[in-house]
Amino acid sequence: MGTKAYSRPITLALLVTFAVAMTAAQTQAETGREGWLRYARIGQTGTASFQHERIKVYGPGESEVMRTARRELVHGLKEMLGPNWVHSGIVPGKFLLGSLQQMQWFHPPLGIEAEGFWLSLRKCEGQACVVIVGGSDRGVLYGVFEVLSKLARVENVRGLEETQNPANPIRWAEEWDNLDGSVERGYAGRSIFFDAGEVRRDLTRVSEYARLLASVGINGCNINNVNANPRTLQRDFLPQIARIADAMRPWGVRIGMSVDVSSPKTIGGLETFDPLDPKVAAWWQSKTDEIYKLIPDFAGFVVKADSEGRVGPSAYGRTPADAANVIARALKPHGGVILYRAFVYNHHLNWRDPKADRARAAYDIFHPLDGMFDDNVVVQIKYGPIDFQAREPVSPLLGGLEKTNEAIELQVTQEYTGQQRHLVYLAPMWTEVLNFDLSRADRRLDPREAECRFASEWCVKNLVAGKTFHRPLGGMVAVVNVGLDENWLAHPFAMANLYAFGRLAWSPELDAQRIFEEWSQLTFGNDPAILKVATRIAMASWRAYEDYTGPLGTQTLTDILGSHYGPGIESSEENGWGQWHRADHLGIGMDRSVASGTGFAGQYRPQLAQGYESLETTPIELLLFFHHVPYTYKRPYGKTVIQQIYDSHYQGANEVAMFVRDWRALKGKVDEQRYNEVLAKLEYQAGHAIVWRDAICNYFLKLSGIADEKGRAGHFPDRVEAETMQLRGYVPVEVTPWENASGGRAIECHDEHGCSVSFKFAKVAGRYEIDVEYFDQNNGESKFRLYLNGLLLDEWAGTANLPATNIGGDSSTRRRVHGVVLKPGDEIRIDGVPDGKEPAALDYLEIFSEPQ
Ligand code: GCV
């Protein structure tokens, strides 16, 4: 062994047994700030699967990334194995890390790519040692994280021998952060990058974020909103951007920036931003050169243009290819790339026109340009043709570019999937999309089946990786939108989505459940009881959310004009945004067939197009995305559409109630802080799922006039509407839209001293659960007190941070009190005290019998 290859060996001496064991100290409070990189102490019982007497870490210290790799390895080992270690410097190494060139004498296998790594358990000077060889320094770092992950999950590494290469060259996190510190569609606090128009002085969180990203192989981070502020490109601002690059560089994460294509005019002083004007090209060149002087490893730009009010090349009659190429050519000498978003559409569509269809836009605009983009341009395509809905067909554009690099765009931030107040594990959806075969010769159009078993070249994962058409670039990006919240994404489980995104971008072959299990073990420890419950909840969560929000391909029936959060069924209709479901009293769905509709189905390759064209062969999950049908339509042996709407909403809401029950079983197993946080969020979600369920069922019951054959929709025998109770100070109000409150009405208090509402219990004596449905706005903190015969049962304040300044589906919230013993004639009273603009509003009480 040539010691010269290793500078500065670090030796950890200790007796360690990596064993199949329970992780200790689960009950200490944890904030979630470490994410899945907690390196919790590994218990040392059981049989050794991997034993060390001394652990020695070698690793050349020349580059920043290599230093990071070694530090991380030492840190992880120390945390997991205990502080009881010493430097020795004498004992032969047990962990050896280095790049391919440095480790040639180990004869690494062929095929380790630049960002890949090789892990091997070898004998070094007579003793077992783990060899980590990277195709580059970044590869070494990724290898270190992989080893640490295996150890943390107590994986048997005795026969360790594996090579891993990332499937996708581009693996970027994108952040929609604004310079003022807000984050567009961010739900976890303010920007970690910016504040008050400047880059934050303290970038500790940025470095910590880069560490999390690197640990799952993410190699780029686009730091600002695609609705870009040209200020970021100004000469006096660029040194600030360079500080962000400095904070992320040690983790091998290169930064990118969103740019506005009008910058040559808005900040460059030119009279035009026409991409074909040589002055504009010169401006981009000199601006890009300026950036690379400060940030030599700058990754590139992301562009949103001609979309949602952003200007673009259409202003000069130019194409997205013209706009992309002028910037690409400026980046080319520096090795940078441009990600040009295919999210280009007209949001002033004529909703009366049955042929108009937003879903068509990306393909209509970009498919004809195939082959016209430079080689360092990547067209960034949202997974579906609309906009991050809980269910959409796979974007046909993903199969519509053969001579152009492409990347798929996913969303970790849960804009349309519950905004991290709802637990929704998204990897099952993503793997379904990645495994979707856009050629689909068969007619089994069940999107839940992984169609790519035979590695078809038309599988989305192969297309985006650039494999199908041998493209030089390709990949996966996700809009993440972390914030300053201690746990990054507000909901502890939301981090599973970030983790899964990284893992899938690295290896789209991975299975969503397996990824979740990894994350759960790293995040909550190796207790099988936790693993089982967390996995069950996570794996059921996407389907449950889809069920209680908008099934059968109607998209998420949310308020698309505002928060994108609670129910807002009519908000998508009769406007130019094109998220139409076209429901009327006879039927629902958008006809996108070629024969009679918008023709969108024809954008797919022939066999798939044929499948979507027909009502009978369209998968049930997408039925209403492709077809307008009467509520009474049903498949042979199936249910009517209306009954499916009722059933799925009840099914989805019941499923979330089960999540609460299941999670409760983990009390004492998960540390208290995260246990309580998750429980509170699940309880809230269970209540909000009922708000969704009722809004949609009641709405379609009224619209269709067809009863729920199970008698649930519109019937609430346990409910007492607030407006029917005895009111003291409270006043009844109409709620808009009506379906977002029970009975369409609620009560508000406008007396600063408070109001009161009461009624006499009239059911049989017994033990009950009382649910109070109230409205929690973000512009006040009303107080509520619940009394039974004058005795205080419960009190709370409306302090949740919901996206609502008035009463409705965004603010409707449930408070649950268990185990209340009631008898006929008991008086139940609620006192409400308004605060700020929040009127202590109440919707109803629901009183359910509980087992004795
Ligand atoms: C950054 C959706 C979101 C917008 C977002 C846009 C996009 O429409 O609601 O906030 O803008 O997508 O992806 O550009």
Side-chain angles (χ1 to χ4, degrees):
M1 180 187 297
T3 44
K4 264 210 182 121
Y6 308 109
S7 59
R8 300 206 282 157
I10 296 176
T11 302
L12 316 178
L14 72 170
L15 180 66
V16 179
T17 305
F18 290 87
V20 181
M22 306 278 283
T23 303
Q26 275 301 319
T27 42
Q28 266 176 349
E30 295 198 38
T31 63
R33 182 153 168 175
E34 296 283 328
W36 51 86
L37 298 177
R38 296 155 57 244
Y39 301 136
R41 191 68 49 80
I42 296 172
Q44 295 178 29
T45 58
T47 318
S49 61
F50 185 62
Q51 193 162 18
H52 286 296
E53 287 181 347
R54 287 173 184 278
I55 293 179
K56 182 169 184 173
V57 180
Y58 282 114
E62 287 82 20
S63 80
E64 238 176 316
V65 173
M66 201 67 104
R67 275 199 296 275
T68 304
R70 194 181 54 208
R71 253 200 325 265
E72 186 70 17
L73 183 57
V74 172
H75 168 66
L77 293 172
K78 187 176 155 188
E79 291 293 309
M80 286 191 282
L81 307 175
N84 190 18
W85 57 279
V86 291
H87 293 263
S88 104
I90 314 158
V91 181
K94 293 292 174 81
F95 280 84
L96 300 169
L97 46 149
S99 64
L100 208 47
Q101 295 88 328
Q102 293 155 338
M103 304 287 267
Q104 274 308 323
W105 50 272
F106 266 118
H107 304 297
L110 295 175
I112 304 170
E113 294 169 10
E115 293 190 321
F117 57 80
W118 172 58
L119 309 177
S120 182
L121 189 66
R122 292 298 190 92
K123 277 260 187 289
C124 308
E125 298 183 348
Q127 292 194 312
C129 65
V130 174
V131 176
I132 304 172
V133 175
S136 62
D137 295 0
R138 204 183 269 139
V140 175
L141 179 62
Y142 297 150
V144 161
F145 276 120
E146 179 64 27
V147 167
L148 289 171
S149 167
K150 284 182 193 301
L151 298 180
R153 291 179 287 111
V154 208
E155 212 174 82
N156 191 343
V157 290
R158 204 177 271 161
L160 186 65
E161 178 63 39
E162 68 183 52
T163 301
Q164 286 193 31
N165 290 310
N168 292 288
I170 289 176
R171 307 181 303 279
W172 285 23
E174 295 188 356
E175 315 296 326
W176 287 350
D177 294 38
N178 298 313
L179 299 196
D180 65 3
S182 60
V183 181
E184 182 160 345
R185 312 296 176 190
Y187 310 105
R190 292 181 57 80
S191 169
I192 62 169
F193 301 105
F194 308 108
D195 187 36
E198 310 287 335
V199 168
R200 283 187 186 281
R201 216 184 292 269
D202 179 0
L203 293 177
T204 310
R205 292 296 295 270
V206 173
S207 305
E208 290 177 17
Y209 184 43
R211 173 172 172 252
L212 284 168
L213 296 180
S215 74
V216 283
I218 294 171
N219 59 4
C221 181
N222 198 62
I223 58 173
N224 60 317
N225 193 349
V226 287
N227 293 324
N229 184 339
R231 166 90 181 108
T232 51
L233 288 177
Q234 283 180 320
R235 174 156 295 167
D236 63 324
F237 201 80
L238 287 175
Q240 298 198 40
I241 299 286
R243 286 181 43 239
I244 297 178
D246 293 344
M248 298 194 121
R249 186 173 298 111
W251 300 97
V253 178
R254 297 164 72 189
I255 69 157
M257 247 198 290
S258 299
V259 289
D260 187 303
V261 293
S262 70
S263 301
K265 186 171 172 189
T266 50
I267 58 161
L270 302 184
E271 72 290 353
T272 178
F273 63 92
D274 179 353
L276 297 192
D277 187 314
K279 290 192 294 303
V280 169
W283 187 87
W284 280 113
Q285 189 62 67
S286 96
K287 184 49 71 185
T288 307
D289 294 347
E290 202 179 317
I291 293 172
Y292 276 91
K293 267 198 202 105
L294 293 165
I295 312 171
D297 58 351
F298 184 68
F301 296 126
V302 177
V303 168
K304 172 177 179 179
D306 284 320
S307 171
E308 301 187 330
R310 311 296 301 176
V311 295
S314 68
Y316 300 93
R318 312 297 186 203
T319 69
D322 298 327
N325 290 344
V326 67
I327 302 175
R329 285 165 200 164
L331 288 159
K332 177 109 180 161
H334 304 285
V337 298
I338 165 170
L339 272 50
Y340 198 99
R341 298 178 84 223
F343 188 62
V344 177
Y345 72 101
N346 170 12
H347 68 280
H348 298 292
L349 286 174
N350 177 5
W351 58 271
R352 290 192 177 81
D353 177 1
K355 298 285 175 196
D357 188 0
R358 167 171 165 184
R360 292 189 59 115
Y363 191 93
D364 281 350
I365 296 167
F366 284 82
H367 174 67
L369 300 176
D370 190 21
M372 295 168 78
F373 291 92
D374 283 9
D375 266 0
N376 61 332
V377 178
V378 180
V379 174
Q380 180 173 315
I381 307 166
K382 289 189 182 184
Y383 60 84
I386 298 289
D387 192 7
F388 299 133
Q389 302 300 290
R391 170 83 65 180
E392 294 183 54
V394 170
S395 170
L397 185 60
L398 290 162
L401 299 174
E402 301 185 12
K403 291 170 275 180
T404 304
N405 304 319
E406 61 183 56
I408 191 168
E409 182 177 335
L410 307 174
Q411 222 186 20
V412 165
T413 192
Q414 295 171 231
E415 176 183 355
Y416 283 99
T417 50
Q419 305 188 351
Q420 286 113 273
R421 299 178 188 95
H422 292 225
L423 187 163
V424 184
Y425 176 53
L426 291 163
M429 166 166 63
W430 297 339
T431 49
E432 199 170 287
V433 170
L434 292 167
N435 284 311
F436 192 79
D437 182 342
L438 282 158
S439 72
R440 295 267 282 250
D442 64 317
R443 308 212 6 129
R444 281 179 308 100
L445 285 165
D446 182 351
R448 279 192 215 151
E449 290 204 17
E451 292 292 334
C452 286
R453 323 182 257 281
F454 305 117
S456 156
E457 52 191 11
W458 289 97
C459 282
V460 170
K461 63 187 171 196
N462 296 334
L463 288 161
V464 300
K467 290 189 177 133
T468 307
F469 298 109
H470 311 290
R471 300 299 314 161
L473 285 173
M476 290 174 55
V477 308
V479 181
V480 182
N481 292 356
V482 291
L484 280 178
D485 276 11
E486 196 70 3
N487 68 0
W488 304 96
L489 283 170
H491 197 307
F493 273 63
M495 289 295 272
N497 288 325
L498 177 56
Y499 181 85
F501 162 67
R503 298 289 287 133
L504 286 170
W506 182 273
S507 176
E509 305 298 329
L510 293 172
D511 166 72
Q513 176 162 335
R514 187 65 212 111
I515 295 174
F516 184 83
E517 287 166 356
E518 275 177 22
W519 174 83
S520 177
Q521 284 181 275
L522 296 172
T523 302
F524 293 119
N526 294 306
D527 181 339
I530 303 176
L531 185 62
K532 189 166 163 212
V533 168
T535 306
R536 194 199 86 70
I537 293 175
M539 291 307 291
S541 61
W542 168 48
R543 184 63 204 220
Y545 185 82
E546 182 188 12
D547 279 347
Y548 64 75
T549 58
L552 302 177
T554 48
Q555 307 166 57
T556 316
L557 294 172
T558 190
D559 172 13
I560 70 134
L561 299 176
S563 62
H564 299 184
Y565 182 59
I569 305 165
E570 283 179 4
S571 67
S572 56
E573 302 309 293
E574 304 192 4
N575 59 50
W577 288 92
Q579 286 187 229
W580 308 314
H581 52 69
R582 302 231 189 259
D584 59 20
H585 70 289
L586 294 174
I588 178 170
M590 190 74 191
D591 184 356
R592 292 187 158 105
S593 68
V594 175
S596 55
T598 69
F600 168 74
Q603 292 185 337
Y604 292 91
R605 294 177 59 77
Q607 276 144 331
L608 187 53
Q610 215 184 326
Y612 287 147
E613 182 71 11
S614 140
L615 194 53
E616 278 69 44
T617 51
T618 298
I620 198 77
E621 289 83 355
L622 292 172
L623 182 72
L624 304 179
F625 194 90
F626 283 100
H627 301 282
H628 185 84
V629 297
Y631 292 110
T632 50
Y633 170 79
K634 62 174 180 177
R635 295 254 167 92
Y637 312 110
K639 302 173 189 170
T640 60
V641 161
I642 190 72
Q643 195 56 43
Q644 292 210 43
I645 292 176
Y646 298 140
D647 285 355
S648 64
H649 283 82
Y650 274 86
Q651 162 71 26
N654 290 346
E655 185 71 81
V656 185
M658 293 295 111
F659 295 171
V660 177
R661 186 205 60 185
D662 292 355
W663 184 258
R664 279 183 186 283
L666 299 182
K667 190 165 172 56
K669 290 181 182 293
V670 175
D671 62 280
E672 213 175 314
Q673 180 163 346
R674 290 184 302 166
Y675 169 81
N676 287 332
E677 252 177 78
V678 173
L679 181 62
K681 287 196 153 54
L682 286 176
E683 282 176 338
Y684 165 77
Q685 182 180 359
H688 203 227
I690 293 171
V691 174
W692 268 99
R693 178 198 76 190
D694 292 351
I696 290 175
C697 290
N698 291 342
Y699 179 87
F700 286 105
L701 174 65
K702 186 168 170 195
L703 191 66
S704 70
I706 303 172
D708 170 9
E709 63 188 31
K710 295 183 186 146
R712 298 154 304 183
H715 295 287
F716 305 102
D718 300 311
R719 204 170 273 190
V720 187
E721 295 293 341
E723 58 274 14
T724 66
M725 299 179 197
Q726 183 155 19
L727 309 182
R728 278 176 296 276
Y730 267 113
V731 288
V733 289
E734 304 287 325
V735 175
T736 310
W738 65 269
E739 70 273 12
N740 284 354
S742 190
R745 306 179 83 201
I747 58 170
E748 289 182 350
C749 174
H750 296 288
D751 178 343
E752 60 178 314
H753 303 295
C755 307
S756 168
V757 58
S758 64
F759 75 101
K760 296 271 190 229
F761 181 71
K763 289 194 191 172
V764 293
R767 194 182 150 93
Y768 288 88
E769 167 196 305
I770 302 182
D771 292 351
V772 181
E773 197 69 28
Y774 67 104
F775 296 92
D776 192 343
Q777 301 171 191
N778 61 17
N779 49 3
E781 296 193 352
S782 307
K783 301 212 168 29
F784 298 91
R785 286 202 162 123
L786 173 69
Y787 294 91
L788 172 62
N789 296 326
L791 288 174
L792 187 65
L793 277 183
D794 191 17
E795 60 185 324
W796 68 96
T799 53
N801 180 21
L802 297 168
T805 51
N806 54 17
I807 62 174
D810 287 348
S811 53
S812 189
T813 308
R814 184 166 280 234
R815 177 83 179 183
R816 178 161 288 178
V817 186
H818 287 284
V820 185
V821 177
L822 296 174
K823 58 180 185 328
D826 280 349
E827 187 205 50
I828 295 173
R829 190 180 95 226
I830 299 178
D831 290 353
V833 182
D835 177 60
K837 295 204 163 134
E838 189 183 76
L842 292 162
D843 191 356
Y844 61 85
L845 258 72
E846 203 152 20
I847 303 181
F848 297 106
S849 177
E850 269 185 355
Q852 292 291 327

